[in-house]
Amino acid sequence: MPRPILATVHTGALRHNLQVARERAPDARVWAVVKANAYGHGIERAFEGLRGADGFALIDLDEAQRVRALDWRGPILLLEGVFEPRDLELCSRLNLWHAVHCSEQIDWLAAHKTQQPHKVFLKLNSGMNRLGFTPAAYRAAWARLNALPQVDEIGHMTHFSDADGARGIAHQVALFEQATDDLPGERTLANSAAILRHARGPLRGASCVAADWVREGIALYGSAPDYPEHSAAHWGLEPTMTLRTRVIGVQQLQPGDTVGYGSTFTATAPMRIGVIACGYADGYPRHAPGGTPVLVNGQRSTTVGRVSMDMITVDLTAQPEAGIGSEVVLWGRAANGARLPVDEIAHAAGTIAYELLCAVAPRVRFEVD
Ligand SMILES: *Cc1c(COP(=O)(O)O)cnc(C)c1O
């Protein structure tokens, strides 16, 4: 029998979460962001749930090829554009749209002998200061692109640094509007946090989700981008991945007994401990402290002591019926329907759900439901 750890991708939940975005941004088309192998879900496994999107946005040419191999004929956008001139060849062949964020990428296009004119999104650096042209350089970049026979259509994009937090997006939206004001072309601004938090309210008319396209990643995968301020349940999002395993050992502790490496936990009363087949080599965060929630047979319990490479210890004291073979959900949903949002585990471990979902290890088997 294989080791009992298993990750399940929930097709219905992906479909549902996409619908949530549609309701919040009813006038926009939705790029389903499937970079990083669909945030760890697997592009091929997530595709059925996301095929209702208007396009797929990603980073790797290799992933673009995989989406085309699924027979997707619609738009695909390379969010960081090409990394070297010869990538443009594949962009032509696969009919990819690509971001243009630096003048070198324009040089490469100008030198490219293309069959098919390219559709690009020119990227404005509106304050994130990662990729993109500054507002001062934006128009000149647009004019250069516009003069190239290799370029057919030029859209406009920018990316928010604080859509999930107190600073918000208004300052970046204003810069974007100034820079792109009278230029033709489609617009795309919003990530998940902007779609959820800024779709309604005073900015709506002129704002990010009234643009032509929104770019939705993490919310498709059932995580609240602004956790713990809001939960996935608050936004009506469903978990799209369940990581589950089973109890493979049980220990009875007496007061004074310790558990695991470093003896970081000491029992103060008699306790029953379950040992489960999941560890940091499966992608569970080693930094999750004792007390991090798990679902044992669909009921909440907690981890005890340190996470090891292949095992975690959990408290079974309140569940005398649980034993070898009992189901333990690390995140997602249990057989009885109980939910354990991945955001809770990420928060306990001092990180974000993006990282946990992307880090499920290759040795974990996957299934799709
Ligand atoms: C990853 C990414 C997104 C999606 O972000 P989420 O926070 O996951 O919704 C949108 N736009 C760009 C440019 C990205 O790189």
Side-chain angles (χ1 to χ4, degrees):
M1 194 177 106
R3 196 162 156 263
I5 188 163
L6 179 66
T8 306
V9 173
H10 304 298
T11 302
L14 288 163
R15 224 175 260 139
H16 167 87
N17 295 340
L18 177 60
Q19 194 51 36
V20 170
R22 292 233 180 263
E23 281 160 20
R24 299 198 80 84
D27 305 324
R29 279 166 286 163
V30 178
W31 293 111
V33 180
V34 293
K35 64 189 178 187
N37 202 20
Y39 290 50
H41 290 61
I43 286 177
E44 291 77 7
R45 288 185 288 261
F47 183 73
E48 187 54 37
L50 297 178
R51 70 185 314 150
D54 300 293
F56 289 90
L58 38 74
I59 307 254
D60 289 304
L61 279 159
D62 161 63
E63 292 186 335
Q65 226 153 356
R66 285 165 55 196
V67 175
R68 284 287 181 241
L70 293 164
D71 248 349
W72 175 256
R73 307 271 163 82
I76 298 178
L77 172 62
L78 288 179
L79 289 165
E80 296 177 356
V82 296
F83 301 99
E84 55 176 336
R86 65 171 182 180
D87 293 347
L88 290 168
E89 212 53 64
L90 209 52
C91 285
S92 300
R93 190 134 46 84
L94 297 174
N95 192 20
L96 308 182
W97 306 6
H98 48 104
V100 171
H101 63 76
C102 63
S103 49
E104 287 77 1
Q105 288 176 326
I106 305 182
D107 299 340
W108 302 339
L109 267 167
H112 182 55
K113 296 175 187 45
T114 188
Q115 311 292 328
Q116 218 175 324
H118 288 236
K119 175 146 183 163
V120 301
F121 273 88
L122 186 59
K123 182 150 187 181
L124 175 73
N125 171 12
S126 58
M128 176 73 123
N129 285 310
R130 293 191 314 191
L131 301 181
F133 293 89
T134 60
Y138 195 78
R139 250 151 221 278
W142 183 85
R144 257 195 92 196
L145 275 177
N146 193 42
L148 294 182
Q150 290 89 343
V151 175
D152 183 23
E153 271 182 67
I154 309 169
H156 307 278
M157 73 185 284
T158 197
H159 193 59
F160 297 131
S161 56
D162 292 80
D164 58 335
R167 194 175 179 206
I169 63 169
H171 61 296
Q172 288 186 271
V173 171
L175 275 177
F176 181 83
E177 285 180 345
Q178 250 169 46
T180 62
D181 186 28
D182 52 347
L183 298 176
E186 296 182 337
R187 273 121 171 100
T188 175
L189 297 86
N191 58 359
S192 296
I195 296 165
L196 295 174
R197 289 170 67 90
H198 301 288
R200 297 180 185 154
L203 263 176
R204 195 191 177 314
S207 92
C208 56
V209 295
D212 300 286
W213 292 88
V214 295
R215 308 186 301 272
E216 187 176 57
I218 195 67
L220 286 175
Y221 305 102
S223 157
D226 56 355
Y227 188 87
E229 186 184 342
H230 296 113
S231 65
H234 170 89
W235 294 121
L237 302 169
E238 289 288 332
T240 58
M241 183 198 289
T242 293
L243 183 64
R244 94 161 66 79
T245 187
R246 293 186 186 281
V247 174
I248 60 167
V250 175
Q251 299 294 339
Q252 194 69 50
L253 304 189
Q254 298 308 319
D257 287 349
T258 64
V259 179
Y261 286 118
S263 302
T264 58
F265 177 85
T266 305
T268 56
M271 266 182 101
R272 238 173 122 243
I273 292 292
V275 181
I276 66 172
C278 175
Y280 61 78
D282 299 296
Y284 192 88
R286 185 177 169 280
H287 287 104
T292 300
V294 294
L295 298 174
V296 178
N297 289 334
Q299 289 180 55
R300 276 177 91 97
S301 182
T302 61
T303 66
V304 174
R306 277 195 194 153
V307 174
S308 322
M309 182 186 280
D310 313 301
M311 286 175 265
I312 300 171
T313 31
V314 302
D315 189 358
L316 300 183
T317 311
Q319 287 174 260
E321 76 295 346
I324 304 279
S326 292
E327 182 195 80
V328 179
V329 167
L330 286 317
W331 60 70
R333 66 179 199 233
N336 69 355
R339 305 288 199 259
L340 179 55
V342 63
D343 294 317
E344 279 193 47
I345 296 20
H347 189 67
T351 184
I352 52 177
Y354 299 73
E355 189 181 14
L356 298 196
L357 295 175
C358 291
V360 174
R363 78 174 183 182
V364 175
R365 286 176 303 126
F366 269 86
E367 64 169 22
V368 179
D369 82 3

